[in-house]
Amino acid sequence: MSAQFSSVPQADILRFAAENPLAWVVPTAAPADAILMPLLMETDAAGTPLSLLGHLPRSAPLIPRLWENPKATCLFLGPHAYVPPGWISKPGWAPTWNFVSLKVTGAITLDDAFTEPAIHALVTHMETHNGSGWTAAEIGPRFDSLLQGIIGFRMQIDSLHPRFKTGQDESGTSRAEIHAALEGHPLQAWMKMP
């Protein structure tokens, strides 16, 4: 794997996880039981990633697997795009796919004590960045019954593996052409232009 795609500044990793919280939670013991869920990256005071906070449906097949073996991988996929040869003025250039992604490994701790804080943190995060200021309190008495169907978790991060393939291996001209062709596409914001 090319180091140029995996050498990503920590600030970009944090921004990526904040903007793209939906991830596959893949238990090591049973990858087929993977499930898509929104996750929040938690950091220490210096901004170093420490853990992921989330919740899972109690009825999901991966729950008993995680009780037995808490090791898991979380796979975040952000904006991506097919890059056709027609975007590039270089003869003989082949198509490619550009994307931003993150793989996080660690051990998941399932705990009822994490459930309500995980929901409040997620709602606050999403409403702050995208919403109207809605809070979970607006659900009213039904909120407690909804909590019964889920369980919160925290995953201590053992490793982070970003892979941001955004044309770093292309010439300056080709990168500029890809950047221009992606006008209005969310991937364009992840392309670092000289």
Side-chain angles (χ1 to χ4, degrees):
M1 186 178 307
S2 178
Q4 64 188 335
F5 301 143
S6 59
S7 180
V8 177
Q10 185 170 284
D12 287 347
I13 292 172
L14 295 175
R15 178 180 143 222
F16 171 77
E19 291 179 8
N20 301 278
L22 193 64
W24 283 101
V25 179
V26 185
T28 300
D33 290 337
I35 187 171
L36 271 170
M37 294 300 292
L39 308 175
L40 297 177
M41 189 169 288
E42 300 176 307
T43 65
D44 64 15
T48 302
L50 294 178
S51 57
L52 296 175
L53 180 66
H55 68 282
L56 295 164
R58 286 186 186 276
S59 61
L62 80 166
I63 295 293
R65 304 289 190 203
L66 289 171
W67 283 117
E68 295 166 11
N69 178 355
K71 292 289 187 183
T73 299
C74 295
L75 305 170
F76 295 81
L77 178 61
H80 56 93
Y82 173 72
V83 181
W87 289 1
I88 308 298
S89 60
K90 182 177 177 181
W93 191 84
T96 191
W97 205 286
N98 284 358
F99 55 87
V100 286
S101 64
L102 177 64
K103 178 171 68 171
V104 183
T105 62
I108 287 180
T109 301
L110 298 165
D111 191 328
D112 287 322
F114 297 149
T115 306
E116 191 168 345
I119 295 300
H120 286 299
L122 179 63
V123 168
T124 298
H125 174 79
M126 297 309 297
E127 290 294 323
T128 298
H129 295 284
N130 305 310
S132 62
W134 182 87
T135 67
E138 295 179 48
I139 297 174
R142 185 168 167 249
F143 181 67
D144 289 336
S145 66
L146 291 173
L147 289 180
Q148 299 307 307
I150 60 176
I151 186 166
F153 74 87
R154 180 167 276 125
M155 183 172 102
Q156 295 303 313
I157 295 173
D158 291 337
S159 65
L160 291 170
H161 302 281
R163 184 156 162 80
F164 287 27
K165 184 180 178 294
T166 58
Q168 304 93 311
D169 55 338
E170 304 295 344
S171 69
T173 299
S174 294
R175 282 180 59 75
E177 290 168 339
I178 294 168
H179 188 268
L182 286 170
E183 182 67 36
H185 192 285
L187 184 60
Q188 186 188 46
W190 292 97
M191 292 188 72
K192 301 224 187 289
M193 299 303 294

